[in-house]
Every structure is written in structure tokens, then in C-alpha cells.
């Protein structure tokens, strides 16, 4: 239907203008709605702008809200050609002297070579071990050299060997060489090309035997304390508890060792003790809840754990379910033997670079002079009467040695190994195996503590004997240097020293520490970085104050109001933001060196802006650096005072412990037992105090704040304010009383849980910025809800106006039509 138009031709009156004017009057309500909408939208946009500024302020606080983040150190090396260094916030000021004997290297082997990349390598097994893992590469009649490289690199058991092919023609028709390179540096990452399988024993997978080691139903981490394992019942563990390991070591020597454990012993500690029990002849490892013990050498091994048992009779009285062990991989010279790839035996490889640790001295430490290691091959029963044996050192195995060989012959056999030079190992004996004489191996002092030599009866010409032979370490070697698996020394807390070259002076005896130059590494405070962090905080804080002045204040001169002026949320927010900078920091008292921001040059001026006095700050830093950091970023720290503070000390707090001051009352008995304890915020009455939990591990009492949910003042934390506030009882004697929280005969103390003003400010900012419950989010939700309601009204009003305009147009159209008809009738009459 065509729209009705008002021409005004019949009356000469501009009826369209009349309708427009009438509609303009009708639209006043709509315009008011639109003005209201624009006003609320402006407020929402301003609040979004404020959120951006507050987010930037919170980010600046994130850099300084804990003391550890505030600490900043600069590390300088006197000669960066040899050493560079960096320091974290955990470092300490000082100068360190470093000497470098050698850099860490990774292992690398090169094969004799074949004619082409596509040359067939033959079928069989290539057995490679690396670290404490072994992999078996099986080839068939169609496997090429390139295919062998792929089988090694793609083997799921490969823990760090990279295979590649080197092209080099020496004129012998063997142009392509397989290269095996370790991807990790350090003596623990030696590549071995094995002639036999390596023996591995592992904890049983049957859950009934205690496998795996669990913590909260999951496989425990290697750093988990034994006392926390699900395998422990009636715990916790305590001094006097014993784990006994029984079995035989690699050399068939009986193992029966008691390992002392307590509430602090970890799985990692247990592994080290097991290694020691096995005379260093095997590597203990742990993964996915399973303990493994791997022989250091391939071939025949007597390695076995017959039992691993726990006894808490003399200690905690607890029980602990420990696993049984089965042989996972059998190392043997007889029985089932691998079918090796003939052209890829160990003898076809040359070791081009051996894996070794870096060696350093720090401030002349270790002080000990080098000690030559001694190992003794002893016959523990019977004598050899024929046959041969082999010795293996660091993965290299000698040719057959006759049962009646003398010391000189044995020494020559060792010196024929790729990894042993003439003079590295001296052999002394008064006889030979055939008469049961001990054979002593003495290493160069510079070798330090080395792997045990392995003894095996020859598979080709076995010893004819009923004797038992074993090699043990009689003198542990020490080269007087600190070993590190890589070329980054981290033995100084918070400092990483990168090693680039040894510091040998090129003149002196390379075996003497005095022949290595000392490089100084100096660590100093970087106070300039700290000042910049505070300046950034000042900038971001003042930016939101500028926002407040522009958007949330009234200007008496211009008589203009900011878009957020009068908004209660904004007024409350700025009051909160200002508070940490104008009051005493939570948990601090005038007994502290500094206890409010103005003490270190941070103040709020009359306009509400932050001022930072660098000179005053520098004076505070010079007076007590750590106290400045504490005032700004104390986190999870505390102190005690009062009569009870001589017996009870602060231990730790939880993430939800409310900072501030607490009153604590402790009761005990005449036998030195803590019977009860009560905690409250210092401004509460004793009738409001809550009972704490008393824990005892057999030696020490701890007192832990209750964590039951309460409503009211601390409801925002969903727990009592003292939740997980933990105190340690250092002396439980002479603490008595009846135990009622309002009784005054207990031992009283005050506990201060500290939070620096930066931490308090960050907590406030985080609370304000919460996506659903923060003040900004809530305010914007209110604005959005208001805008939604106004938009509904606008739509409704627009619909009404359309109807009204249509009505007026139709009304004036009818008037025009009526007047036109009258005019026509008048014309007829006049005619």
C-alpha cells in the first residue's frame, strides 16, 4: 500500500510541517531515553578504560609484590672469553673465583664404513646403551645403512643417541660411515655398543606387591617423601625406621644393607642408598612409580634384589608396602645370546670423543689434593685352573686374558683399550687368578672417582674353576675438582656460570690446580633496576589517578562533572587503592626497621598522586636493603613476640592465610606434651578464638590454624583467617594449663603474618579485576543491564511514535479529503 502524503493543496496549509512539529513534541521522551543511553554508555566505556589502566597497574605490581622478585643482581665476569655469568633473585652479593680444568663433552663414535648409503648391513641386533637405558636395533636382510640410521633415530627406546651418516673416502672402499652422537654432555651419557644384553631388574607390576609407589592415588614424583606415599600406613615415618635391601651385586657379592629412613627421606634418597648398597655397580632409576636397577656393564651379571623390606619396629611403628623385583632384561654370556650384526660389532667403531663432565674449582674448593683410586680383584673362594677372563672399563672390553696372566700382561690388555692410555692404570699382583692372589688396579689421581672395572669369564674360553671372583673399590679416587654434566655450573645458589674454555695457563703441569688461572665473577645489587620498577609503579598508579581527576571528579572552576562523578563504585575503589600506601603494612610493627611506605620515600600527595623520593629510597637501601624489600614484598613470612615466642616460632603460612596479627594460646601437660592451642585475630576476643590442630611426627609438635569455612568478616577467604598458619614448637617443656581458650594459665604469644604493601595492593587490584565478582565487572554488568532496559524502552517508544505519526498523517489526509469535497460542492453552487 502506498504511503499517504499530505500535499496541503486543498487548504493551502502546510499540513506536513504541522505533523512534523507535532511528532517533534512526541519524540521528547525518546530523545531523553537516547540521552540516558549515551550517558550510561559513556560510563561503561570509561569503566572499560579504567579497567585497562588498573590492569597495567596490577602488572607493575606483579614485578614487585614478593621479595624474591624485587631482588635484582648483576653478574660480571673478569674475562668473558672463558666465563660468563648471570644471576637470579636468589643470588647473594659477593665475588667468586672460578678455575676450569675441562669442558663437558658428549660421546661420539664412528663406524669403519660401508661402500654405499644403500649397502646392506646384514640381519641381526645392534645393542646400544645410553645413560641408564638400552635399546636393541633389529635389522633384516633388506636393511641398508640409511635404513639402520632411521631405525636408531626412530626407536621409541632411544633416549638421546643421534645417528647420522658421514661421507669420507679413505681409499679403502668404505666411503659412508655411521656416526653415533650423544645429545647430552657429561660422563653419565656414555654410548656403549654392547656385545650382550645389559641386566635390568625392576619392581614388579603386580599391584598386590606395592607397585607402583603412589601419592594421592597417582604415581609419586622422585622428590616425594616416603612418609607421604599411599604405600605407608599407620605413619608418618620417624627416626629408627629401616628399609633393608638384600640381593647380590653385579660381581656376585652378597648385598644385605639396612637403610635408615625417616619422615624426610625421599624416593630419590632411597635410590642413592640402593646404589651405594650395590657398591656402585649399578644405576638406580625411577619412572612412573617403578624402581629399576641397571647393571653398569653388559654381559654376565649376578645383579639381583631378592627383597626390599620395611621395618618400623624401632621407629614409627608404621607399615610400608614395598615392591618385589623381577629381572626385566637378562645380561648373560651364556644361555640366550643376541645374534649380533657381524659388520657392526663394537670393534668396528672408533670413539672419536668421550663423554666427560666439566671440571671446575670455586674459590679453591675442593681443597683436597687428588687421590688415586684403587680397585682390587679378589678371589673369594677356590682358584682358577684354566680358561680366560675379560675386563670391561667404561664400556670397553679387553681381549681374553689367560687365567694365569701376571700383572704386566693384565696391564697390557687394559692399555690396548681405546679409552685407556699407557700409564692410566697400573696393575700390581703377587701372582694370578690361578693361585687366588689379589690383583690391584691403581688409576691416575687425575682420573678421580671412576667406574668399577667389570670382571667376566670369557664366553669363548671360560674359566675352569669353582672360584668366585669380585672387584671392589678399596680407595675411592678424587681428582679435587667439582664435576658438572654440562657446561653451565650452578653450584652457587642463584648464579649460572657458563663455561666457554678451560683456564689452563699453558705452562704448568696440567695435573696441578695451580696451573689454572682464576677468573673472578662478581655479583652486585642492581638497585637501578629496582628503582625503575618503582618508577613504573608510580607511573601506572598516577595514570589511574589522572583518570579519576578527568572522569570521576567535579571541577569547581569549569563547573563540569566527570562522567563517573558520584559513582559509588569508583569512590570505593580509589579509597581502597590508596590505603596500602598510607597505612602500616599488614603484620609489621614499629619493631621493624621500616613499616610503612613513607619510611622508604613512597608517599601520596594532596592530589592523591604517588611521589617517589629517590634520595630517601637510596638511604633506606643503604641502611637495610633486606628490610626495604621486606616492606615492599614480604610474602609468606612472619614473626612472633611475647612470652611464648621463646618456645614457639613461626613456621609457614598457606596461600589463604590472612595477613595481620594473631593471638595464640597454647596448653600442655607435665610430660611435655602439647594438648591444645587456640588462635584468633588480635582484635577479636578470646571467646571468638578457634581451636588449632596439633600435629606430632614423633619428634616435633606443629600447631596449624583451623580451615573450617565461616561466614562473616572473612567469608571472602571461605575459611578462617588463620587457615594453615603453622607454628613450630621448639621447646615443649614447662607448658601447662587447663586448655580452655579463655583460661589465662596457658602460654601466650603474638604472631605477625607479614604482607608487603605491594602484595596487599596487588591483592586489591586482583580482587577488583575479577572477571565475575570484581567491582569493575559488577559495575559494568549494572551499566549493561541499564542499557538493555533503556534499549527496550527505546524500541517500544519508536514503535509508539510510528503508530502516532501514521495516525496524524491519516487524520490530516481525511481533513484534506473532506475540504477538497466541500470546495468542489461550493464550486458547483457558485456555477
Amino acid at each position: 500500500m502506498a504511503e499517504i502524503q499530505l500535499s496541503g493543496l486543498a487548504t493551502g496549509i502546510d499540513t506536513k510541517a504541522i505533523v512534523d512539529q507535532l511528532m517533534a513534541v512526541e519524540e521528547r521522551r525518546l530523545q531523553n531515553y537516547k540521552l540516558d543511553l549515551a550517558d550510561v554508555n559513556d560510563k561503561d566505556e570509561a569503566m572499560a578504560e579504567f579497567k585497562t589502566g588498573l590492569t597495567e597497574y596490577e602488572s607493575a605490581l606483579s614485578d614487585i609484590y614478593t621479595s624474591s622478585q624485587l631482588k635484582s643482581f648483576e653478574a660480571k665476569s673478569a674475562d668473558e672469553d672463558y666465563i660468563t655469568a648471570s644471576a637470579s633473585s636468589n643470588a647473594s652479593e659477593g665475588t667468586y673465583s672460578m678455575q676450569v680444568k675441562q669442558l663437558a663433552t658428549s660421546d661420539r663414535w664412528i663406524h669403519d664404513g660401508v661402500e654405499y648409503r644403500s649397502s646392506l648391513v646384514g640381519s641381526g641386533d645392534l645393542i646400544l646403551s645410553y645413560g641408564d637405558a638400552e635399546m636393541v636395533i633389529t635389522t633384516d636382510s633388506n636393511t641398508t645403512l640409511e635404513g639402520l640410521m632411521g631405525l636408531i633415530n626412530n626407536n621409541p627406546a632411544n633416549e638421546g643417541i643421534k645417528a647420522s651418516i658421514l661421507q669420507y673416502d679413505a681409499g679403502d672402499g668404505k666411503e659412508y660411515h655411521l656416526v653415533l652422537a650423544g645429545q647430552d654432555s657429561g660422563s653419565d651419557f656414555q654410548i656403549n655398543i654392547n656385545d650382550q644384553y645389559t641386566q635390568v631388574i625392576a619392581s614388579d607390576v603386580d599391584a598386590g606387591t606395592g607397585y607402583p609407589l603412589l601419592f594421592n592415588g597417582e604415581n609419586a614424583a622422585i622428590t616425594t617423601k616416603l612418609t607421604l606415599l599411599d604405600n605407608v600406613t599407620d605413619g608418618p615415618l620417624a627416626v629408627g625406621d629401616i628399609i633393608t635391601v638384600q640381593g647380590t651385586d653385579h660381581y656376585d657379592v652378597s648385598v644385605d644393607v639396612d637403610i635408615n629412613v625417616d619422615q624426610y627421606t625421599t624416593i630419590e634418597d632411597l635410590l642413592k642408598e640402593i646404589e651405594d648398597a650395590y657398591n656402585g655397580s649399578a644405576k638406580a632409576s625411577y619412572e612412573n612409580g617403578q624402581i629399576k636397577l641397571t647393571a653398569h656393564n653388559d654381559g654376565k651379571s649376578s645383579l639381583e634384589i631378592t627383597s626390599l623390606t620395611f621395618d618400623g619396629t624401632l621407629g614409627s611403628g608404621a607399615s610400608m608396602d614395598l615392591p618385589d623385583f623381577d629381572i626385566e632384561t637378562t645380561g648373560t654370556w651364556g644361555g640366550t645370546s643376541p645374534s649380533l650384526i657381524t659388520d657392526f660389532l663394537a670393534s668396528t667403531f672408533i670413539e672419536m670423543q668421550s663423554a666427560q663432565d666439566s671440571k671446575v674449582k670455586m674459590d679453591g674448593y675442593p681443597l683436597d689434593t687428588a687421590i688415586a683410586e684403587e680397585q682390587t680383584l679378589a678371589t673369594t673362594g677356590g682358584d682358577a685352573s684354566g680358561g680366560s677372563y675379560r675386563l670391561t672399563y667404561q664400556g670397553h672390553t679387553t681381549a681374553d686374558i689367560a687365567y694365569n696372566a701376571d700383572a704386566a700382561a693384565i696391564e697390557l690388555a687394559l692399555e690396548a683399550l681405546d679409552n685407556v692410555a699407557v700409564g692410566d692404570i697400573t696393575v700390581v699382583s703377587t701372582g694370578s687368578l690361578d693361585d687366588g692372589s689379589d690383583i690391584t688396579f691403581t688409576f691416575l689421581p687425575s682420573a678421580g672417582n671412576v667406574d668399577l672395572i667389570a670382571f667376566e669369564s670369557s664366553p669363548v674360553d671360560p674359566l675352569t674353576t669353582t672360584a668366585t671372583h669380585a672387584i671392589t673399590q678399596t680407595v675411592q679416587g678424587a681428582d679435587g675438582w667439582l664435576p658438572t654434566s654440562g657446561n653451565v655450573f650452578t653450584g652457587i645458589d642463584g648464579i649460572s656460570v657458563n663455561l666457554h674454555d678451560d683456564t689452563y695457563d699453558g705452562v704448568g703441569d696440567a695435573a696441578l690446580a695451580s696451573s689454572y688461572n682464576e677468573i673472578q665473577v662478581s655479583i652486585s645489587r642492581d638497585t637501578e633496576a629496582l628503582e625503575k620498577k618503582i618508577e613504573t609503579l608510580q607511573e601506572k598508579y598516577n595514570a589511574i589517578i589522572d583518570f579519576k581527576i578527568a572522569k570521576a571528579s567535579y571541577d569547581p572552576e569549569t563547573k563540569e562533572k566527570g562522567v563517573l562523578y558520584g559513582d559509588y563504585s569508583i569512590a570505593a575503589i580509589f579509597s581502597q587503592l590508596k590505603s596500602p600506601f598510607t597505612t602500616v603494612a599488614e603484620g609489621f610493627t614499629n619493631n621493624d626497621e621500616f613499616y610503612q611506605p613513607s619510611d622508604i620515600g613512597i608517599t601520596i600527595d594532596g592530589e592523591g598522586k604517588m611521589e617517589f623520593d629517590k634520595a630517601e629510597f637510596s638511604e633506606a637501601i643503604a641502611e637495610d636493603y633486606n628490610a626495604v624489600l621486606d616492606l615492599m614484598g614480604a610474602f609468606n613470612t612472619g614473626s612472633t613476640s611475647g612470652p611464648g615466642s621463646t618456645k614457639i616460632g613461626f613456621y609457614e603460612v598457606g596461600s589463604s592465610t590472612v595477613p595481620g596479627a594473631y593471638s595464640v594460646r597454647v596448653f600442655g601437660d607435665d610430660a611435655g606434651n602439647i594438648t591444645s592451642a587456640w588462635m584468633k585475630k588480635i582484635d577479636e576476643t578470646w571467646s571468638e578464638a578457634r581451636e588449632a590442630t596439633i600435629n606430632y611426627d614423633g619428634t616435633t609438635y606443629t600447631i596449624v590454624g583451623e580451615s573450617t569455612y565461616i561466614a562473616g568478616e572473612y567469608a571472602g577467604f571461605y575459611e578462617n583467617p588463620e587457615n594453615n598458619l603453622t607454628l613450630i614448637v621448639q621447646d615443649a617443656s614447662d607448658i601447662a594449663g587447663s586448655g580452655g581458650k579463655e583460661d589465662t594459665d596457658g602460654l601466650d604469644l603474638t604472631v605477625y603474618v607479614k604482607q608487603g604493601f605491594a602484595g596487599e595492593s596487588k591483592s586489591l587490584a586482583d580482587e577488583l579485576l575479577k572477571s565475575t565478582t570484581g567491582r569493575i565487572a559488577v559495575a559494568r554488568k549494572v551499566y549493561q543491564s541499564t542499557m538493555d532496559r533503556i534499549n527496550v524502552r527505546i524500541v517500544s517508544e519508536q514503535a509508539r511514535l510510528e503508530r502516532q505519526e501514521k495516525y496524524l498523517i491519516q487524520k490530516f489526509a481525511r481533513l484534506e479529503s473532506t475540504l477538497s469535497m466541500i470546495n468542489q460542492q461550493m464550486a458547483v453552487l457558485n456555477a
Side-chain angles (χ1 to χ4, degrees):
M1 181 177 178
E3 183 180 352
I4 300 173
Q5 298 292 329
L6 298 174
S7 63
L9 295 176
T11 62
I13 300 171
D14 189 353
T15 53
K16 182 177 184 306
I18 294 173
V19 170
D20 288 344
Q21 291 173 8
L22 290 172
M23 287 304 300
V25 173
E26 292 285 343
E27 287 176 355
R28 282 183 298 181
R29 187 191 303 171
L30 176 63
Q31 296 306 318
N32 287 335
Y33 286 157
K34 288 182 176 179
L35 289 174
D36 290 343
L37 180 65
D39 181 58
V40 178
N41 186 67
D42 287 345
K43 289 183 177 181
D44 185 57
E45 289 179 353
M47 193 64 80
E49 181 184 343
F50 177 55
K51 180 182 178 182
T52 299
L54 189 60
T55 301
E56 293 177 357
Y57 170 63
E58 191 274 342
S59 179
L61 287 166
S62 295
D63 289 337
I64 63 171
Y65 82 102
T66 64
S67 297
S68 60
Q69 291 171 309
L70 288 167
K71 285 186 178 179
S72 183
F73 295 94
E74 184 178 15
K76 289 185 179 180
S77 168
D79 194 332
E80 294 191 347
D81 289 338
Y82 294 92
I83 288 173
T84 55
S86 59
S88 73
S89 59
N90 293 326
S92 299
E93 288 184 284
T95 300
Y96 303 89
S97 176
M98 304 295 301
Q99 293 169 278
V100 184
K101 181 182 182 183
Q102 67 184 36
L103 297 182
T105 56
S106 57
D107 206 17
R108 187 162 59 248
W109 294 74
I110 298 181
H111 183 251
D112 283 351
V114 296
E115 190 172 2
Y116 305 108
R117 281 178 175 268
S118 58
S119 292
L120 299 175
V121 299
S123 60
D125 293 333
L126 175 62
I127 307 173
L128 302 175
S129 61
Y130 183 75
D132 60 356
E134 183 177 72
M135 64 175 170
V136 179
I137 308 299
T138 301
T139 61
D140 57 32
S141 58
N142 296 316
T143 305
T144 64
L145 178 66
E146 200 159 37
L148 176 60
M149 177 184 70
L151 288 173
I152 295 171
N153 290 335
N154 298 319
N155 192 297
N158 189 340
E159 294 200 358
I161 299 175
K162 174 68 176 178
S164 59
I165 295 175
L166 173 67
Q167 184 179 2
Y168 172 71
D169 188 359
D172 57 0
K174 297 181 178 180
E175 187 173 350
Y176 293 91
H177 306 263
L178 181 69
V179 179
L180 302 176
Q183 300 303 289
D184 306 278
S185 61
S187 58
D188 287 339
F189 299 100
Q190 180 80 27
I191 297 173
N192 289 320
I193 301 150
N194 299 338
D195 293 328
Q196 294 287 334
Y197 303 121
T198 298
Q199 179 144 307
V200 179
I201 57 177
S203 54
D204 205 311
V205 297
D206 181 0
T209 65
Y211 165 87
L213 299 180
L214 300 176
F215 174 65
N216 289 339
E218 303 290 338
N219 291 332
I222 193 170
T223 55
T224 302
K225 294 177 182 177
L226 298 180
T227 193
L228 300 177
L229 295 176
D230 298 350
N231 309 63
V232 174
T233 55
D234 301 322
L237 304 186
V239 174
D241 292 340
I242 293 172
I243 289 178
T244 301
V245 56
Q246 294 178 319
T248 53
D249 72 6
H250 182 79
Y251 310 102
D252 201 29
V253 176
S254 177
V255 173
D256 188 353
V257 176
D258 289 339
I259 300 170
N260 294 315
V261 298
D262 56 30
Q263 65 269 37
Y264 305 111
T265 305
T266 65
I267 294 175
E268 187 173 25
D269 296 333
L270 178 61
L271 296 182
K272 291 178 180 178
E273 292 290 342
I274 292 174
E275 284 186 5
D276 290 342
Y278 279 79
N279 301 310
S281 64
K283 171 69 176 176
S285 60
Y286 175 81
E287 186 175 1
N288 295 327
Q290 186 177 25
I291 296 174
K292 289 187 178 183
L293 197 64
T294 305
H296 271 317
N297 304 102
D298 67 318
K300 184 178 180 181
S301 176
S302 297
L303 186 66
E304 186 178 11
I305 296 181
T306 56
S307 69
L308 190 68
T309 57
F310 174 83
D311 184 358
T313 306
L314 301 178
S316 64
S319 299
M320 184 175 183
D321 188 13
L322 288 169
D324 292 335
F325 287 80
D326 291 329
I327 295 177
E328 186 173 85
T329 305
T330 302
T332 179
W333 281 112
T336 304
S337 296
S339 176
L340 301 176
I341 306 173
T342 306
D343 293 334
F344 283 81
L345 300 175
S347 58
T348 64
F349 286 84
I350 300 173
E351 187 176 32
M352 303 306 295
Q353 178 176 276
S354 179
Q356 68 177 23
D357 296 329
S358 59
K359 297 289 184 70
V360 303
K361 276 184 181 288
M362 180 190 72
D363 293 336
Y365 182 84
L367 303 175
D368 298 332
T369 56
I371 299 172
E373 173 149 332
E374 290 185 4
Q375 298 177 14
T376 300
L377 170 57
T379 302
T380 57
D383 300 325
S385 58
S388 304
Y389 61 94
R390 295 176 180 179
L391 300 176
T392 300
Y393 177 58
Q394 293 181 340
H396 297 256
T397 303
T398 66
D400 286 356
I401 302 172
Y403 75 100
N404 58 357
D406 60 14
I410 299 170
E411 190 171 306
L412 284 172
L414 288 168
E415 289 174 350
L417 299 177
D418 293 336
N419 61 327
V420 178
V422 175
D424 282 356
I425 305 175
T426 302
V427 182
V428 176
S429 176
T430 58
S432 62
L433 284 182
D434 69 336
D435 62 7
S437 298
D438 288 352
I439 301 171
T440 301
F441 306 91
T442 303
F443 298 78
L444 287 176
S446 58
N449 186 21
V450 299
D451 293 340
L452 280 175
I453 294 174
F455 173 91
E456 328 234 51
S457 179
S458 169
V460 178
D461 180 26
L463 288 170
T464 305
T465 179
T466 57
T468 302
H469 307 286
I471 296 180
T472 58
Q473 183 186 69
T474 50
V475 177
Q476 180 174 312
D479 65 355
W481 295 82
L482 295 169
T484 301
S485 60
N487 288 314
V488 180
F489 177 71
T490 56
I492 311 170
D493 192 28
I495 302 171
S496 293
V497 180
N498 300 290
L499 312 177
H500 304 300
D501 200 354
D502 67 73
T503 61
Y504 176 55
D505 63 11
V507 178
D509 184 348
L512 299 177
S514 58
S515 299
Y516 294 84
N517 294 324
E518 296 184 358
I519 308 296
Q520 303 299 315
V521 176
S522 59
I523 311 298
S524 57
R525 292 179 194 161
D526 188 359
T527 55
E528 183 178 345
L530 179 56
E531 285 185 359
K532 286 181 179 178
K533 288 181 178 181
I534 298 175
E535 286 175 341
T536 300
L537 176 68
Q538 178 190 23
E539 175 191 343
K540 300 303 180 183
Y541 182 88
N542 289 343
I544 57 179
I545 297 301
D546 286 336
F547 169 88
K548 177 191 176 186
I549 294 172
K551 300 292 179 70
S553 300
Y554 173 74
D555 188 335
E557 294 184 1
T558 61
K559 302 191 183 308
E560 292 183 356
K561 299 177 182 177
V563 66
L564 294 176
Y565 177 72
D567 189 299
Y568 171 75
S569 295
I570 285 292
I573 287 172
F574 278 97
S575 177
Q576 285 182 295
L577 292 177
K578 177 182 177 182
S579 177
F581 299 102
T582 57
T583 57
V584 174
E586 287 287 355
F588 285 76
T589 70
N590 56 11
N591 291 324
D592 292 292
E593 190 69 37
F594 308 113
Y595 55 89
Q596 55 190 359
S598 59
D599 292 341
I600 61 172
I602 298 175
T603 56
I604 302 297
D605 66 14
E607 198 177 15
K609 290 191 174 183
M610 182 184 296
E611 292 187 339
F612 176 40
D613 189 328
K614 286 187 179 181
E616 189 171 353
F617 183 76
S618 296
E619 288 179 9
I621 287 283
E623 183 177 346
D624 194 331
Y625 176 64
N626 289 322
V628 171
L629 302 188
D630 204 32
L631 176 63
M632 295 176 65
F635 184 70
N636 288 352
T637 61
S639 61
T640 60
S641 68
S645 62
T646 59
K647 292 177 175 290
I648 300 172
F650 173 86
Y651 185 69
E652 65 180 3
V653 297
S655 60
S656 58
T657 306
V658 179
Y662 292 84
S663 297
V664 178
R665 183 167 285 172
V666 181
F667 299 93
D669 60 24
D670 294 337
N673 301 310
I674 303 299
T675 56
S676 64
W678 303 84
M679 292 185 180
K680 68 180 185 70
K681 290 286 282 185
I682 200 166
D683 54 357
E684 293 179 305
T685 64
W686 277 112
S687 63
E688 297 174 282
R690 294 158 291 276
E691 188 168 11
T693 300
I694 307 297
N695 294 324
Y696 183 62
D697 63 7
T699 57
T700 306
Y701 282 100
T702 54
I703 301 169
V704 185
E706 179 59 57
S707 59
T708 305
Y709 168 83
I710 60 169
E713 182 180 355
Y714 305 111
F717 292 92
Y718 299 102
E719 292 164 333
N720 293 320
E722 70 274 11
N723 172 44
N724 284 331
L725 168 57
T726 304
L727 308 178
I728 187 166
V729 180
Q730 298 154 335
D731 181 2
S733 63
D734 299 325
I735 299 177
S738 61
K741 60 184 176 181
E742 295 185 72
D743 295 332
T744 58
D745 55 351
L747 186 66
D748 287 354
L749 66 149
T750 303
V751 180
Y752 299 97
V753 177
K754 293 184 176 182
Q755 183 180 44
F757 65 80
E760 184 181 355
S761 297
K762 184 179 184 300
S763 296
L764 289 171
D766 288 341
E767 193 70 26
L768 292 171
L769 288 168
K770 282 185 176 178
S771 59
T772 56
T773 60
R775 281 186 178 272
I776 293 177
V778 170
R780 295 197 68 189
K781 283 179 184 177
V782 171
Y783 293 150
Q784 189 61 54
S785 176
T786 302
M787 287 189 288
D788 289 343
R789 290 197 302 271
I790 294 173
N791 277 320
V792 169
R793 291 172 182 171
I794 287 175
V795 170
S796 176
E797 183 64 12
Q798 286 174 332
R800 186 188 73 80
L801 290 174
E802 287 178 3
R803 294 192 300 272
Q804 181 66 12
E805 183 179 29
K806 185 176 180 181
Y807 166 74
L808 290 174
I809 290 173
Q810 290 175 341
K811 181 177 180 179
F812 279 94
R814 289 194 297 271
L815 175 61
E816 287 279 349
S817 176
T818 300
L819 290 176
S820 176
M821 182 181 65
I822 292 173
N823 286 337
Q824 291 174 358
Q825 291 174 348
M826 290 294 295
V828 171
L829 293 173
N830 290 331

